[in-house]
Amino acid sequence: MASHSAGTGLRQILDQHTAQISEEVERLLAESREHERREFAGLRERDQQEFGETLAGAQREFGELQQRDRQEYAKSLADMQAEIAGLRERHQQELAEAVERERQHHGELREQDRQEHAAALAGAQSEMAALHERHSQELAEAVERERQHHGELREQDRQEHAAALAGAQQELAEAVERERQHHGELQERDRQEHAAALAAAQQELAEAVERERQQHGELREQDRQEHAAALTAAQGEMAALHERHSRELAEAVERERQHHGELREQERQEHAAALAGAQQELAEAVERERQLREQERQEYAAALAGAQWETAALRERHSQELAEAVERERQLREQERQEHAAALHERHSQELAEAVERERQHHTELREHDHREFSESLANARQELVDLRERHEGELAACLEGGRKDLADRLRQAVRRIRQAADWEELAATLTDAAAAYSSGAAWLRVADGKARGGPIRGVSDEAAEAFRSLEIPLASAAALAGALESRDPVIAAIAGSELSEALIQLPGHPAEGRVAIFPLVTKEGVPGLLYTWGNGQEAVLEMFAQVASAAWEVRTPPPPPAPELVRIDAALPAKAAPAGAAPRSAWEQLSPDEQQIHLRAQRYARVQAAEMRLHEAESVESGRARRNLYDLLQRPIDQARATFHQKFFVPCPSMVDYLHLELVRTLANDDAELLGTNYPGPLV
């Protein structure tokens, strides 16, 4: 009965430690998830950096495209300005040639008029040689009227020529203004199309491309301002050129007018001199005639009357012919001027329209080419970003899954090594090795007689490890160690002499500052030792290791002799006859020492296997208990454990008992064998 009570107490202790281990494993998994979340955040940050680099590359490519667009546009603008300058120069040459031809034609007309007038004057002088003073006065008045009429005609011709020239200049200015407006409309439409395309790209790239859109708008605005400045400069140059051309034309007209005035003045002087000579000759002739033929006055008067009538008729006919010739010449000059101006305007308009059409087509091709390249670059960048995100998500998922599996495997192996330690020395060394993997350094301190004695240590040199094994620390001088021993809870302390003792801090390899974590190994009898760690350790994992070691330490305490009755080994072992007169021995005492060790290892193996199934297959255990079919859900691990147990313990030990079956019933089925299910094969035999 007492042995049964001891076995029940041992089972309760194992249940408590198993529950604690389960809680610690859940906490460890939570810490693992938090660690994975931090790793995922790091990977996501790296993904964002790579995305930023890809976006920066796309922005650089777009900037290069935009720079090339501005260069090509500047080149096209320079070509158009060169064509306009060529057209303007050709127009100036044609206008100068027209003015030169007009001046030559005017000189020819003036020479012809002068010759005709000189011939008429010579005829009049020959006819007027016999006329009276009145005939001379009438002839002078007629010549004066003719000169005034010719001046009016010349002034009218000059005004018409100036009006035609002003009209041509106005038409040229209007054509240039229309071209400027049309080019501005094309530039505005191009800016709107680029802005629309950029807005679509910004909507797809969200806030990351918003800054790029603003930069692009600023560049477009700068481009538009540069174009406006260039166009204003071109207009200024054209206006200056027109002003200079108008001024040169005005100067040419003024020089022509002055030259014509000089010629008219010279002609008037020559005419006045000729008229004065004719008058003088006429006066002398009249005087001689009056003196010589006074007696023939009547006949001369009759002859003079006939000559006057003929002279008047001749003068009338000459005036009509001169007026008709002047009118024909004026009409001919007007027709030639109109034809020349129309041909010049048509040719200039056609050349200007062709230049504008070529520029518009070239600008349209450039805009389409740039839009196509931008669309292709944007599509490639978007596809690269999608591929990069998918690849990173796959790599991240694989990394997280691998890290989770690796962490679970390492924890499982560490727990298994701690549980399977053969003795207390191996348990301390295994616990120290496992803790060192999750901290900068770890050490084992065995507590006895108010002192903490050094044991296995990791994270220092071999000389320091040897010195640590001979170290003894009075708990009265180490407040942190004494606190962990008294509270039986983990203690986090700063590295200081009053907390840890100077001897421990001065140990080679031990940090001089920072903090340490102390985990007590709590058993039913007390605290046999302390797990001492330093550095940035994972405290949840270290505490779980300490609890697992506590459970393993407690089960390694030698049980009282009746303990084998827990597995009812008496019924399983064959009875041996006791010597006569000797007291009967228990079944456990009848086993040899080697067999007892095998039975203890078998019990330990059974407890470890059942605890691992309960830990790693918790959901299946709960579901199997509810459905009463634990074996169906845990068939693979149970069959593997049964096969190993049979091969390792039943074969070398004929007195072996199926401890694995007993542990499955106690740990998994809560002492109810029916929960294992109808398909469970039963104990090994």
Side-chain angles (χ1 to χ4, degrees):
M1 188 67 181
S3 62
H4 180 71
S5 299
T8 303
L10 183 59
R11 282 197 299 270
Q12 291 177 356
I13 293 173
L14 290 175
D15 291 339
Q16 292 176 359
H17 285 291
T18 303
Q20 292 177 357
I21 290 172
S22 299
E23 292 176 357
E24 292 307 321
V25 168
E26 291 177 356
R27 187 190 307 174
L28 177 61
L29 291 176
E31 293 290 335
S32 175
R33 286 193 293 270
E34 180 64 20
H35 183 66
E36 290 173 356
R37 188 187 65 78
R38 289 195 295 268
E39 290 181 351
F40 178 77
L43 292 174
R44 182 172 58 188
E45 182 178 0
R46 185 172 61 196
D47 190 6
Q48 290 177 355
Q49 291 177 357
E50 293 178 356
F51 177 79
E53 293 175 356
T54 305
L55 180 60
Q59 291 175 353
R60 287 194 299 272
E61 293 178 357
F62 184 77
E64 293 175 358
L65 291 174
Q66 190 178 23
Q67 182 67 22
R68 187 164 62 250
D69 185 10
R70 287 201 299 267
Q71 292 177 357
E72 292 177 355
Y73 183 76
K75 182 179 179 181
S76 62
L77 180 62
D79 295 337
M80 185 183 70
Q81 291 177 351
E83 291 179 0
I84 293 176
L87 291 175
R88 185 163 56 244
E89 184 177 2
R90 188 163 61 250
H91 176 68
Q92 290 177 355
Q93 291 177 357
E94 292 176 354
L95 186 62
E97 292 175 359
V99 171
E100 182 64 23
R101 288 195 299 271
E102 184 67 19
R103 187 171 65 251
Q104 291 178 359
H105 183 66
H106 183 70
E108 292 174 358
L109 290 177
R110 190 173 63 246
E111 181 65 22
Q112 183 179 359
D113 189 12
R114 190 182 63 77
Q115 292 176 1
E116 291 176 356
H117 186 70
L121 183 60
Q125 288 176 356
S126 62
E127 292 176 354
M128 289 171 60
L131 297 180
H132 196 264
E133 180 66 19
R134 187 179 57 191
H135 179 240
S136 299
Q137 293 177 357
E138 292 176 355
L139 184 59
E141 293 174 356
V143 170
E144 181 63 22
R145 287 194 302 271
E146 182 65 20
R147 187 183 65 78
Q148 292 177 358
H149 179 66
H150 186 71
E152 292 174 356
L153 291 177
R154 294 304 302 166
E155 181 65 20
Q156 182 179 0
D157 188 13
R158 187 186 65 77
Q159 293 177 357
E160 291 175 355
H161 180 72
L165 183 61
Q169 292 176 351
Q170 182 65 26
E171 290 176 357
L172 180 61
E174 291 175 355
V176 172
E177 180 65 19
R178 287 195 302 272
E179 173 62 19
R180 185 185 64 80
Q181 293 177 356
H182 180 65
H183 191 71
E185 292 174 356
L186 290 177
Q187 178 66 21
E188 182 65 20
R189 187 164 60 252
D190 186 18
R191 187 185 65 80
Q192 293 176 358
E193 292 176 356
H194 277 284
L198 185 59
Q202 291 168 350
Q203 186 176 1
E204 295 175 354
L205 294 180
E207 296 179 355
V209 193
E210 183 64 22
R211 293 187 297 274
E212 180 62 21
R213 185 189 67 78
Q214 294 176 358
Q215 183 179 4
H216 180 70
E218 293 174 357
L219 291 175
R220 292 300 303 169
E221 179 65 21
Q222 183 179 1
D223 190 8
R224 188 185 66 77
Q225 292 176 359
E226 292 176 357
H227 175 70
L231 186 60
T232 303
Q235 291 177 353
E237 292 177 359
M238 184 173 288
L241 184 62
H242 287 174
E243 182 67 22
R244 186 169 64 252
H245 177 68
S246 299
R247 188 167 57 253
E248 291 175 357
L249 184 62
E251 292 175 357
V253 171
E254 180 64 22
R255 288 195 300 272
E256 182 66 22
R257 187 181 63 78
Q258 292 177 0
H259 181 65
H260 182 71
E262 292 175 356
L263 292 177
R264 294 299 302 168
E265 181 66 22
Q266 182 179 0
E267 182 180 353
R268 188 185 64 77
Q269 292 176 1
E270 291 177 356
H271 179 71
L275 184 60
Q279 289 177 354
Q280 185 177 0
E281 291 177 358
L282 182 60
E284 292 176 355
V286 170
E287 182 63 25
R288 287 194 303 271
E289 186 68 21
R290 189 177 62 251
Q291 293 175 0
L292 294 175
R293 298 182 181 180
E294 181 66 28
Q295 63 274 12
E296 296 179 357
R297 182 177 301 168
Q298 296 296 329
E299 296 178 359
Y300 181 77
L304 182 59
Q308 288 178 354
W309 181 80
E310 291 179 359
T311 301
L314 181 61
R315 186 170 62 251
E316 182 68 21
R317 188 170 62 253
H318 175 70
S319 299
Q320 292 178 357
E321 291 177 355
L322 182 61
E324 292 176 356
V326 170
E327 182 65 21
R328 286 195 303 272
E329 182 63 24
R330 189 185 65 78
Q331 292 178 357
L332 182 61
R333 286 198 305 271
E334 180 66 20
Q335 183 178 1
E336 290 179 354
R337 186 188 62 78
Q338 291 178 356
E339 292 177 354
H340 177 71
L344 182 63
H345 178 68
E346 182 178 1
R347 184 169 64 254
H348 174 68
S349 300
Q350 184 177 2
E351 292 176 353
L352 186 60
E354 291 176 355
V356 171
E357 181 65 22
R358 287 194 303 271
E359 176 63 22
R360 187 183 63 81
Q361 291 178 357
H362 180 65
H363 190 70
T364 302
E365 292 175 357
L366 289 177
R367 187 171 62 253
E368 292 177 354
H369 177 70
D370 292 342
H371 181 69
R372 186 165 55 252
E373 288 185 351
F374 176 73
S375 300
E376 293 176 356
S377 299
L378 187 60
N380 293 333
R382 189 182 297 111
Q383 185 63 33
E384 289 178 358
L385 291 177
V386 172
D387 296 340
L388 182 62
R389 185 181 299 108
E390 292 178 354
R391 186 170 63 254
H392 283 180
E393 288 177 355
E395 293 177 355
L396 179 60
C399 181
L400 291 177
E401 184 65 23
R404 188 181 298 109
K405 291 182 179 179
D406 182 66
L407 178 61
D409 291 340
R410 286 189 285 113
L411 291 176
R412 188 182 302 110
Q413 292 174 6
V415 171
R416 183 181 296 110
R417 286 196 301 270
I418 293 173
R419 288 178 173 178
Q420 293 179 354
D423 50 24
W424 297 286
E425 289 293 334
E426 183 180 351
L427 178 61
T430 304
L431 176 61
T432 307
D433 290 336
Y438 296 92
S439 62
S440 300
W444 167 258
L445 294 171
R446 181 69 182 270
V447 178
D449 301 330
K451 295 182 180 180
R453 294 178 175 84
I457 186 172
R458 303 293 183 267
V460 297
S461 62
D462 295 340
E463 293 79 4
E466 188 65 26
F468 180 74
R469 286 184 176 274
S470 61
L471 181 65
E472 291 186 359
I473 303 173
L475 296 177
S477 62
L481 300 179
L485 185 64
E486 294 175 0
S487 64
R488 297 192 175 189
D489 289 328
V491 173
I492 306 299
I495 298 177
S498 60
E499 295 288 335
L500 304 175
S501 83
E502 293 294 338
L504 182 59
I505 296 176
Q506 294 177 1
L507 184 71
H510 191 283
E513 59 183 9
R515 65 175 191 171
V516 297
I518 306 169
F519 302 93
L521 269 68
V522 182
T523 65
K524 184 171 60 176
E525 289 77 9
V527 179
L530 300 174
L531 176 61
Y532 179 86
T533 63
W534 63 84
N536 295 325
Q538 299 185 19
E539 298 171 359
V541 177
L542 298 174
E543 186 177 358
M544 185 200 69
F545 287 161
Q547 293 179 357
V548 173
S550 298
W553 185 287
E554 189 168 356
V555 299
R556 277 159 182 73
T557 303
E565 294 182 2
L566 172 65
V567 295
R568 303 185 186 276
I569 197 170
D570 303 74
L573 295 177
K576 295 183 180 180
R585 295 187 303 169
S586 65
W588 178 260
E589 293 176 349
Q590 295 177 8
L591 297 176
S592 65
D594 293 338
E595 287 181 328
Q596 289 180 359
Q597 291 297 324
I598 295 175
H599 277 268
L600 290 176
R601 289 201 305 271
Q603 292 177 12
R604 184 164 58 247
Y605 174 80
R607 285 193 297 270
V608 171
Q609 293 298 319
E612 287 185 352
M613 292 181 193
R614 182 178 178 181
L615 176 63
H616 301 300
E617 303 290 344
E619 295 181 359
S620 299
V621 170
E622 295 296 332
S623 179
R625 289 173 179 173
R627 299 179 182 179
R628 307 180 71 84
N629 61 345
L630 284 168
Y631 179 74
D632 294 339
L633 299 179
L634 302 173
Q635 182 177 359
R636 185 178 62 82
I638 290 176
D639 289 346
Q640 290 179 355
R642 283 167 59 87
T644 303
F645 189 86
H646 182 273
Q647 182 68 26
K648 189 174 182 180
F649 301 108
F650 264 96
V651 173
C653 184
S655 62
M656 182 54 59
V657 179
D658 192 355
Y659 296 111
L660 180 61
H661 168 72
L662 297 176
E663 284 295 329
L664 293 177
V665 173
R666 184 181 66 84
T667 304
L668 300 184
N670 294 332
D671 293 328
D672 187 0
E674 293 182 357
L675 295 182
L676 293 174
T678 57
N679 295 327
Y680 179 65
L684 295 170
V685 294

